[in-house]
Amino acid sequence: MGSLLDFTDIKYIKFLKSRNKYKAIEELARVFKGTDICSDIKAFVAALKEREEIMTTGIGFGIAVPHAKLESIHKIAFAIGISKKGIDFNSIDGRPVHMVVLVAAGERQHKDYLKLLSKIMSLLKNDTIRVEMINAKSAKEIINILRNAK
Amino acid sequence: MKKLYSLLKKYKYHVIVFFTARYDIREYIVQIGMALCIGAIAGLGAMVFHTLIEWMRIAINPKHFAHYLEIPSFIMGIIPVIGGLITIGMTKIFPGQAKESGVKSIIRSVMLQNGHIPIVSTLFHLIASAVTLGTGAPLGPEGPSAKIGGGLGSYISTLLRLNSRKKITYTVAGAGAAISAIFNAPIAGVFFGIEVILLNDLKNESLSALVIASVASDMISKTYLGNNSLLQIPVFHIDVTEFPYFLLLAIVCGIISLLFMGLSHNIKKLYKKIKGDDVIVLLLPVSLLFAFVVFIYNDLFGIGYALINKVLSNHFSINVLIMLLVLKLLFVALYIQTGAYGGLFAPSLVIGVLVGFLFASFFSYLGVKLDPAGYAIIGMGGILAGLNSIPITAILMVFELTNDYRIILPIMLASVISHLTVTFYNKGTIYELELLEDGLDVRKSRINILESIQVLSIMKNDFQTINARTPLNHTLNKLLDIDAGLIVVDDNNEYVGIVSINEVRQALISSNIVELLICQDIVIHVEPLQKTDSAAEALKKMDKHGIDFLAVVDDSKVVGMVQYRDIISIYNKIVIQLEEKAMAM
């Protein structure tokens, strides 16, 4: 598996307006609309929400990692959403989420999916990088952080 | 002595050739000896079984027993219920042995288990069937007899450490021999072995052993029972000009056989709806109802040879004959579908005699004079062939039971036409269809082995499920504890997918994601198997998804699991068996 930058793009980074977690997920998932990543955004959003209902992906430290594997996902990828005001994600530490990393994978990309999630989690566990990303002013800045982090 | 010595000297060369021939003649002699022994032992086993049933039948027939004890006969009507209770108890205590009942279990053991029938299973069926039939169940002794004979053949082969090829030979020989003995009909016994156990494989190497064993067992049977036929055939008159009526009766027999099968099938579905897989407990209400009916129609008690003799001697009015036919059809189906231990041959003879007698009586009423006794005998052949898919056995069995050559042509017609009617409608024989329900399709080409094995016959019941909400660390712990993978279910216990150790290696080596994921996130959403899917279908799905097991579902609920290695194992077993058979030919 290559660098994290191979799985995202500046287009997939968004500063979120929604403060509700489901709306935030939908807002962020829409960055894949019209791309070759996902051919059915509606189904993707539904899958993300369904997964979120089973158990929160708000893992604490102001981060949430919603994810879903779906037949209509053609390329494994992730999007990043930044919320300056914070989103109530029912996180395990009870704190609001300021960064949402949304992972999309195809039904058959099981191993790559786990590897990508592992890589993302490893990056986010680095306090400095995490804080830098949350405080980033632009998508370009986040891309640079990812580039430097590899 | 001197003469013997000179003879030996003279024929020394022949003796040497005899014992050193390329085609080892000793093997043939041993096989003949073994077949004789197996036949004799199977015959003895069948006679023990016959004696047990007869002893119980005479001793505890509600009428007789009540007479000894000087109590009202209706109290003894409870005998079938006591029999039912004992049968249920035995089935509950020995579920493994109970499961392997009937003729189909012998076919299965010959086809898939190298003819192996555990001796415990043989003994279980000897006792359980004797209790069932001896306490009046309206079933026949042939299925259990074949199981006992085949089981003894298998056990002796195991004791002598014979190879699988020979074990199959002697299991088949024992089953046929026991049928020969129980019906005192050696040729029918041989053809039972060919038509039912060997599924019409006339080139099978077991054939010679089957013939020899049947002769030996019939000798035992004749020594024990004498030359008397089970049936007392009255003088009857049939004429070759009655050919159209023979043909019509044959078709009627085929239709009655189909009606019985339909009734039986619907009762099976009803039982399943009421009790799921625990239908044996329904034997209690069935035997209670039967006890009540037997109190009014005592002739329905037991196997039914006495009833046949009474019908043949014109003992009943037409109304009673119709009642007896309806009740016999109903109770045979009710009993057999509970899993009660007994066969369909003897009930077929009873149903056949009633159908044939009523058929001739009906035409006599219309002014066409037909001899009811003659048509009753033809009816036996027709129903026996139609209901059991054994046209040749039926012809020979009725011929051997009646010892009257005049009857053979109409019986040939009745048996073959009735059998063809049933097979045409059902697209298979009763045993083929029963095995198909259990997951073994014996109708297709033998070469297409995996297509012929249904997942039902290879699935395991000791699978482990896990809820989709389970945190990943718990899922991983559970995965590490088991041999195969886990089947993931939702909160309603319905199938979601599977997880296997191969798929979660990444999760195992990276602790980062353990806190993020739940079981749902690592599920492989693979379409599950249905019980009726073939092993070939299972392998195709496993290959497509790169997995080594699959769940089997019934109406979204998980009922079993099939592993790749189990399919390969059964495939190898069958291939080796086929190779051994081919080498032996």
Side-chain angles (χ1 to χ4, degrees), chain B residues 365-408:
Chain B
Y365 174 75
L366 294 179
V368 184
K369 203 158 172 52
L370 301 177
D371 184 352
Y375 280 81
I377 296 166
I378 301 167
M380 285 200 288
I383 297 285
L384 189 60
L387 214 50
N388 301 280
S389 313
I390 47 163
I392 312 291
T393 310
I395 295 165
L396 293 164
M397 188 172 281
V398 177
F399 172 61
E400 286 186 302
L401 288 173
T402 56
N403 278 325
D404 192 326
Y405 187 75
R406 286 178 304 153
I407 202 78
I408 201 145

Side-chain angles (χ1 to χ4, degrees), chain A residues 51 67 69 107 110 115 118, chain B residues 506 510 521-523 525:
Chain A
R51 167 61 182 89
H67 50 272
K69 274 190 301 164
E107 193 65 76
H110 199 77
K115 278 182 189 168
S118 175
Chain B
Q506 185 62 37
S510 169
D521 301 323
I522 55 165
V523 163
H525 294 284

Side-chain angles (χ1 to χ4, degrees), chain B residues 346-368:
Chain B
S348 306
L349 295 175
V350 178
I351 295 165
V353 92
L354 290 164
V355 169
F357 200 98
L358 283 166
F359 177 86
S361 302
F362 175 71
F363 278 97
S364 296
Y365 174 75
L366 294 179
V368 184

